[in-house]
Amino acid sequence: MNTDPAFPSLSILDHPLIQHKLTLMRLRETSTRTFRDLLREIALLMGYEITRDLPLDHIAVETPVTTMPAAPVIAGKKVAVVPILRAGTGMADGLLDLMPSARIGHIGLYRDPETHRPVEYLVKLPPVDGRLFLVTDPMLATGYSTAHALDVLNAHGVPDSRIRVMVLVAAPEGVRVVQESHPTVPIYTAALDDGLNDHAYIVPGLGDAGDRLFGTK
Ligand code: URA
């Protein structure tokens, strides 16, 4: 895990497997199918890291051999996974491989092509009930969509202390925007890239994550 002093809420997950798979995703010629598989695999690996501190309870269990008085299990109401539509679903799949009983919320936003600001078209969220909400979106570009999604969760009753953001590639501009509006929400990324181009695409980035994930144009 790597941190950048300019971005105190950002953690860069620099595990070699994550970095290798991300490089394959960046390649222009990587197919839709491979891109989708890699995103899911990376999300699973990142999910393993970002759930390291989930609290444990201890329960008594009968094994075939004996009674175990204090076997560890995840405590409480566990986790909700909230992809930002549509590309966030590709990362949510990897988290759900890891935590199949997690609740799933959806926040549908599209980017206004002129202003690059998010326009909301769908919000469906599970009950808060003390859950940890993991927000997924592969590309943290301008940061407006992520900041908007965090505002939506706050309005739904989820405090920042129960939210984590998981992205694949982040731009410094986007990290700054999220950090300014939600300074205590941890952001996890596989890479911090150079910045945004005139079309608000991340450079070097990997192109349009939604189009590459779904094979659209
Ligand atoms: N969304 C994408 O899919 N890619 C970018 O580079 C920026 C936003």
Side-chain angles (χ1 to χ4, degrees):
M1 189 115 63
N2 200 345
T3 50
D4 184 322
F7 301 115
S9 63
L10 184 75
S11 299
I12 302 165
L13 302 183
D14 56 359
H15 190 290
L17 286 174
I18 294 176
Q19 295 304 314
H20 177 83
K21 288 172 191 288
L22 173 58
T23 297
L24 298 180
M25 291 187 75
R26 290 186 192 272
L27 294 175
R28 187 194 290 270
E29 62 270 23
T30 294
S31 70
T32 300
R33 194 244 159 108
T34 304
F35 189 92
R36 191 181 296 148
D37 288 348
L38 290 166
L39 184 59
R40 186 177 187 135
E41 290 164 14
I42 292 178
L44 187 149
L45 293 167
M46 292 180 75
Y48 179 76
E49 289 290 339
I50 76 174
T51 53
R52 232 171 224 295
D53 61 344
L54 284 186
L56 292 172
D57 269 343
H58 292 87
I59 59 169
V61 295
E62 292 286 334
T63 80
V65 180
T66 187
T67 299
M68 195 176 167
V73 288
I74 304 283
K77 281 277 186 184
K78 307 173 189 169
V79 170
V81 176
V82 183
I84 300 178
L85 301 180
R86 59 192 168 130
T89 59
M91 293 194 99
D93 288 343
L95 287 180
L96 292 167
D97 287 343
L98 207 57
M99 297 170 285
S101 53
R103 296 288 184 98
I104 307 170
H106 291 96
I107 298 180
L109 306 173
Y110 68 85
R111 185 153 71 151
D112 184 292
E114 304 290 313
T115 63
H116 301 146
R117 295 278 171 171
V119 182
E120 185 182 307
Y121 63 89
L122 177 88
V123 174
K124 279 278 180 192
L125 296 168
V128 181
D129 287 346
R131 285 191 174 80
L132 179 66
F133 281 68
L134 302 179
V135 176
T136 62
D137 192 3
M139 308 304 277
L140 178 51
T142 61
Y144 300 143
S145 296
T146 305
H148 185 91
L150 300 183
D151 292 343
V152 167
L153 288 179
N154 289 166
H156 185 69
V158 188
D160 279 355
S161 59
R162 304 297 300 160
I163 305 175
R164 292 174 191 180
V165 171
M166 190 172 102
V167 305
L168 182 67
V169 180
E173 296 90 327
V175 178
R176 245 174 247 123
V177 164
V178 176
Q179 232 174 233
E180 272 161 23
S181 58
H182 296 271
T184 60
V185 172
I187 305 169
Y188 298 91
T189 188
L192 180 63
D193 274 11
D194 298 343
L196 300 179
N197 67 14
D198 292 343
H199 304 284
Y201 274 80
I202 299 178
V203 181
L206 46 72
D208 187 302
D211 281 346
R212 298 200 62 189
L213 181 64
F214 297 109
T216 50
K217 267 269 174 259

